[in-house]
Amino acid sequence: MKRILPLVLFVCCIATTHAQDYNFSQFYELPLLRNPALAGIFDGNFRAKAVYRNQWQSVTTPYRTTGLSTEMKFHAGGGNWHNMALQVTYDVAGDSKLSRVQVLPVYTFHLQIADENYLSLGMMAGPVSSQFDASKLTWNDQFVNGSFSANNPTSQVIRNTNRNYLELATGLAFTRPLGEMGNLYLGASMFHITRPRVSFDPNNDDRLDRKYGLNGGLTVPTGARDAFTFYTDAFFQGGHRMNMIGAMYTVALADEYYDDQNKTSIHFGGAYRWNDAFIPVVKLDFQNYSVGLSYDVNTSKLKTASQNRGGFEFTLTYRNNKIGAGRNGDVPCPKFGTNF
């Protein structure tokens, strides 16, 4: 059993990596990975985001994930606008350095259908590349007389350590104001539309199941300086599902909550990933910047081995009203106080 464990872990790691998409705890900070139609739904004309996640360090070689994204708005006549975006992600896991890189351009069109009500359609398409280092693996027949040596020959043949495919996704979203400074959004998305082949073995036709998503968010101001925001996501892929809910309380530390010129505010809250983790979150807004910190408190069956320690996550956001939009200045769009 001890001899075959590395092989079992390797196979499970590959299967898990291809079967599941990136999963961030501050999911509301990564709209392009939730739904391409959510790109561009924020105050300002330009936004850039960075995220870093370190998971399962208490159990095994940690899974490390990094993401970068940019979004820029352009006028499309009337109250409508275009949004061009780019999402880049990279992760690496395990002793074999199993890694994946995504470079995903996104286009979203926001159509004003009544007053400040908008219907948005987004498309995302780009290359995905996975690879691993086979020299870091150990195999059953490299154990001789109970002793392992990397110099021992193995009959295991690995013909391919790279896999490239095209990701294609789309989404719809509806946004509208709710009374005095409140707002709502609802969305639906589909990823892996073409069901790309993801196996490293060229003779294997394993394909990635389509993933369907539902998204929602609601902001309810409770005064001139504070508000509550609620988020939710539900994803369905093959026979698997993932549900996340979150809530944040925001209070302005200087000026009014909706004053973007000199905004300083702090957010307290958390999220819950169903049957997996509770995630406390704190976030600080200062002028054009936002910084978020979270930590997964593991609640799944792995909690005994992990001692409830899941993953640390850091996000950084920059927004600017002077970049993009074209010659006519700011894009006319609904007011999103919490920057969905």
Side-chain angles (χ1 to χ4, degrees):
M1 178 66 183
K2 190 173 183 180
R3 296 180 180 182
I4 65 172
L5 183 58
L7 175 58
V8 172
L9 292 177
F10 169 67
V11 172
C12 290
C13 185
I14 290 180
T16 302
T17 301
H18 283 310
Q20 298 181 358
D21 291 318
Y22 295 113
N23 184 20
F24 291 97
S25 295
Q26 297 177 59
F27 61 101
Y28 46 85
E29 296 286 355
L30 295 126
L32 308 184
L33 295 178
R34 301 174 67 196
N35 183 343
L38 297 179
I41 302 180
F42 63 94
D43 294 338
N45 298 328
F46 174 83
R47 179 168 67 176
K49 286 180 171 289
V51 59
Y52 173 76
R53 180 175 178 81
N54 186 313
Q55 186 175 8
W56 302 128
Q57 186 161 337
S58 62
V59 180
T60 184
T61 302
Y63 290 49
R64 294 187 175 94
T65 309
T66 304
L68 297 171
S69 67
T70 59
E71 303 166 70
M72 186 178 296
K73 299 178 183 178
F74 300 93
H75 283 278
N80 309 321
W81 81 92
H82 308 280
N83 189 84
M84 301 297 294
L86 179 67
Q87 177 71 59
V88 179
T89 50
Y90 169 75
D91 75 332
V92 60
D95 294 333
S96 68
K97 305 299 181 184
L98 180 64
S99 64
R100 179 171 43 164
V101 179
Q102 295 185 154
V103 181
L104 304 173
V106 181
Y107 169 76
T108 306
F109 181 76
H110 302 272
L111 175 68
Q112 187 175 27
I113 54 178
D115 296 327
E116 291 189 322
N117 296 346
Y118 283 83
L119 184 65
S120 305
L121 171 64
M123 294 293 298
M124 179 167 67
V128 180
S129 177
S130 298
Q131 61 183 356
F132 65 94
D133 185 353
S135 68
K136 302 296 184 181
L137 299 173
T138 60
W139 304 98
N140 181 38
D141 53 6
Q142 289 181 294
F143 288 84
V144 178
N145 297 324
S147 178
F148 170 79
S149 173
N151 296 321
N152 291 337
T154 176
S155 60
Q156 179 66 42
V157 178
I158 298 179
R159 295 182 175 86
N160 185 35
T161 61
N162 295 274
R163 182 63 192 165
N164 302 314
Y165 61 89
L166 179 70
E167 167 63 11
L168 181 62
T170 188
L172 284 169
F174 171 75
T175 57
R176 64 161 298 173
L178 292 178
E180 186 68 21
M181 295 188 296
N183 43 62
L184 166 75
Y185 72 90
L186 298 170
S189 58
M190 179 168 61
F191 296 82
H192 321 314
I193 293 174
T194 61
R195 297 194 67 239
R197 191 164 64 88
V198 295
S199 175
F200 287 106
D201 184 351
N203 298 318
N204 194 319
D205 196 42
D206 284 347
R207 293 183 176 272
L208 199 56
D209 288 326
R210 294 187 182 97
K211 184 176 74 171
Y212 303 91
L214 298 173
N215 326 105
L218 172 68
T219 294
V220 182
T222 53
R225 297 172 62 91
D226 56 344
F228 278 101
T229 302
F230 305 92
Y231 307 94
T232 185
D233 271 356
F235 288 104
F236 310 87
Q237 185 176 12
H240 305 280
R241 62 183 298 172
M242 185 193 72
N243 299 320
M244 288 196 70
I245 57 175
M248 299 281 280
Y249 173 69
T250 301
V251 58
L253 303 180
D255 302 308
E256 290 192 353
Y257 178 68
Y258 285 88
D259 179 8
D260 287 329
Q261 300 302 316
N262 261 324
K263 178 185 288 186
T264 302
S265 55
I266 190 166
H267 312 250
F268 297 100
Y272 178 67
R273 187 182 305 111
W274 210 259
N275 293 327
D276 184 56
F278 171 72
I279 306 128
V281 180
V282 62
K283 177 182 173 183
L284 175 67
D285 299 330
F286 179 71
Q287 296 182 1
N288 293 337
Y289 295 89
S290 296
V291 176
L293 297 173
S294 65
Y295 191 86
D296 290 18
V297 180
N298 183 225
T299 60
S300 71
K301 294 179 180 179
L302 191 60
K303 63 183 180 182
T304 302
S306 69
Q307 299 179 348
N308 296 108
R309 291 177 290 179
F312 164 81
E313 193 171 292
F314 168 82
T315 59
L316 174 65
T317 301
Y318 171 77
R319 293 186 302 119
N320 196 316
N321 293 331
K322 298 180 181 179
I323 301 175
R327 298 179 180 178
N328 299 320
D330 292 347
V331 172
C333 62
K335 193 70 173 178
F336 295 105
T338 51
N339 299 310
F340 295 140

